[in-house]
Amino acid sequence: MKAKHAINLSKGLTFFFILGLMLVYQNFTLGPWVYLALHGTYGFLWLLKDILFPDKQWEQEVSISQGILIFALVNLYWIAPFILISSGNIPPLPLVTAAISLNIFGVFLHFASDTQKYYTLKYQPGLITDGFFARCRNTNYLGEIFIYTAFAMLTQHWLPFVILGVFISTVFIPNMLKKDKSLSRYPEFDDYKKRSGLLFPKLFAVKVTKQEQKTTV
């Protein structure tokens, strides 16, 4: 099996898991409905993304046991809706508004930058230095962090933030550093690195020169 099969299974089941929690705990207040809309929809969008512009890093073959482990690890994100729904806490409206706004911004950065990366590399392999990657080398990861931060905010509990921190430190950052190492083979990477941030954009960096060519990530 491929790594993406375990991930996609988790993403696809998220909506039904959250809805199941709402039924079990008979909690149909504002918080669970908002969480269901945000996290459940994100899971379906992930599946659509895998069909239209899949990420090649999840195409790697893994054993059944590894697939089960990946599925279990990804499902750590399900702790957030469990806490929210089982506790019965109702998030205040200003917090709900902030979480929805952050989630929308995160989905935009995550999916739009992945789209740019996929179709740019499909027709012109190399180092991508414009668009979503002009000032930030990992806009997609930044968007994903915004998405899961929004989910954690709705729970009003510290544990989902810790889980997100674990994923950032053990998955996101190592992958970003690995990508930097791979991109270092391009002669123009050093200049690009100086004017772009690893995770957060350098808003006041030097402009890209016209001579510099687009090329991967």
Side-chain angles (χ1 to χ4, degrees), residues 36-56:
L36 176 66
L38 295 181
H39 201 164
T41 301
Y42 173 65
F44 292 142
L45 288 176
W46 179 282
L47 297 181
L48 184 61
K49 182 176 85 78
D50 183 62
I51 295 173
L52 298 177
F53 45 99
D55 192 329
K56 64 179 182 180

Side-chain angles (χ1 to χ4, degrees), residues 16 47 64 82 130 144 146 205 207:
F16 304 101
L47 297 181
I64 297 297
F82 172 77
D130 62 356
E144 197 164 0
F146 283 172
K207 291 184 178 180

Side-chain angles (χ1 to χ4, degrees), residues 2 13 24-25 66 73 83 87 139-140 143 150 156 170 176 180 190 204:
K2 295 181 178 180
L13 289 176
V24 169
Y25 289 96
Q66 289 175 320
L73 290 175
I83 292 174
S87 67
T139 309
N140 45 354
Q156 302 179 82
T170 61
M176 288 187 279
D180 265 10
D190 287 339
F204 304 102

Side-chain angles (χ1 to χ4, degrees), residues 30 91-101 153:
L30 175 66
L93 291 181
L95 179 64
V96 172
T97 301
I100 293 174
S101 298
M153 288 168 58

Side-chain angles (χ1 to χ4, degrees), residues 64-103:
I64 297 297
S65 59
Q66 289 175 320
I68 294 175
L69 177 60
I70 292 172
F71 180 76
L73 290 175
V74 175
N75 284 347
L76 289 176
Y77 285 128
W78 286 0
I79 292 178
F82 172 77
I83 292 174
L84 172 65
I85 297 171
S86 64
S87 67
N89 291 333
I90 301 177
L93 291 181
L95 179 64
V96 172
T97 301
I100 293 174
S101 298
L102 185 62
N103 180 267

